[in-house]
Amino acid sequence: EKRKSRDDAEGGGANGDEKRPKVHDDDDGGLKVHGTKSASSGAAPAPGTFPTSNTHVYMGNLAWTIDEKALKEAFKDCGEVASVNWFEEKATGKFLGAGVVEFTTPEGAAAAVKASGRVIHSRETPIRFWEKRGNTAEERAEQRKTQGKAEAKPMGEKPPGCYTLFMGNLNFQIDDDAIWKFFKDNAGVEPTTVRWLTNKDTGEFRGVGFADFADDEALEAAAKLNGTPCMGRPIRMDYQAPSNRG
């Protein structure tokens, strides 16, 4: 079971999950949670890269006030939204300000990505195509061939008050001890808290998580590891905007 922090190992903690606070009738805030399915492929993706879905997009920096109705209204000019998978901590129910949105057509998803940065509920929303992730034997074999630091996508601009890093392309066997050791050995810093995201219905680890740091110095030291192999996979990191608690 994925753990939240070292303190949780002694006192029980929160696991990462992907859903939305219950603000509607159905579970997950009136939204049926659909785990993103990996498309089968004859050849393994290049190390550190995955094929992107043509109908699913990632939306981040979402306000706590967002719900399915508001999101559909905000992107009705792009196309019809088929489903939304909100990101939330499993045990606490805390909304993480992000989600995966499925459009009924590739054109709708492409239009949404083109609209990246659109202001929704007073917050700019970064949007990108969602990567179909997997952990096949072929993929792992290719990733083991990777040596040194892989070329990584540049991180975005650091939001004010940010002390959290998004972590993607993680090895599916990673745990708290491994990620703490990764940051300690390579950057000389340790996270204060780690949160892993899993699929609500299946409990399957999604290969992504968040790491909190105590101050700017620790955060920046950790951010320099973007693209560095972690358990055989180049870790992909970006700044995560703080939640608006007001």
Side-chain angles (χ1 to χ4, degrees), residues 9 15 44 48 58 66-67 80 96 106-107 111 120 131 142 164 191 226:
N15 291 342
Y58 167 87
I66 196 71
D67 58 19
E80 181 182 356
L96 295 175
E107 292 76 15
I120 308 173
E131 294 179 345
E142 286 297 318
T164 302
N226 183 34

Side-chain angles (χ1 to χ4, degrees), residues 7 30 69 145 156 173 195:
D7 291 338
K69 181 179 179 181
K145 298 176 183 178
Q173 303 305 313
R195 303 186 299 280

Side-chain angles (χ1 to χ4, degrees), residues 9-203:
E10 300 177 358
N15 291 342
D17 197 359
E18 300 191 16
K19 60 176 184 175
R20 180 69 166 93
K22 298 185 183 227
V23 294
H24 297 297
D25 294 332
D26 297 336
D27 53 349
D28 300 312
L31 304 175
K32 178 64 176 176
V33 174
H34 300 280
T36 306
K37 297 179 180 179
S38 296
S40 59
S41 174
T49 64
F50 293 87
T52 54
S53 170
N54 63 356
T55 55
H56 293 74
V57 301
Y58 167 87
M59 295 188 183
N61 196 34
L62 296 172
W64 281 33
T65 52
I66 196 71
D67 58 19
E68 179 185 11
K69 181 179 179 181
L71 190 143
K72 286 185 174 181
E73 178 67 21
F75 290 94
K76 65 181 181 181
D77 61 313
C78 296
E80 181 182 356
V81 173
S83 67
V84 183
N85 186 351
W86 305 106
F87 289 3
E88 181 188 82
E89 287 185 7
K90 184 174 183 180
T92 67
K94 177 184 176 183
F95 179 46
L96 295 175
V100 176
V101 180
E102 178 188 9
F103 285 84
T104 56
T105 65
E107 292 76 15
V113 171
K114 194 172 181 180
S116 179
R118 178 172 294 184
V119 176
I120 308 173
H121 287 208
S122 302
R123 303 192 74 168
E124 291 187 4
T125 304
I127 306 169
R128 64 174 183 269
F129 283 110
W130 182 245
E131 294 179 345
K132 299 177 181 179
R133 300 176 182 277
N135 198 32
T136 65
E138 292 83 2
E139 181 185 325
R140 291 195 299 270
E142 286 297 318
Q143 288 157 351
R144 281 195 292 268
K145 298 176 183 178
T146 304
Q147 296 181 354
K149 186 168 182 175
E151 183 178 353
K153 295 180 181 178
M155 296 173 60
E157 184 178 353
K158 179 184 174 185
C162 173
Y163 295 98
T164 302
L165 289 176
F166 166 84
M167 303 178 294
N169 192 37
L170 298 173
N171 188 297
F172 278 50
Q173 303 305 313
I174 200 166
D175 58 18
D176 284 12
D177 290 338
I179 198 66
W180 252 282
K181 187 176 187 301
F182 170 75
F183 284 118
K184 182 67 174 177
D185 291 352
N186 294 283
V189 298
E190 293 184 348
T192 58
T193 308
V194 173
R195 303 186 299 280
W196 308 109
L197 297 185
T198 62
N199 180 278
K200 172 184 177 291
D201 295 329
T202 67

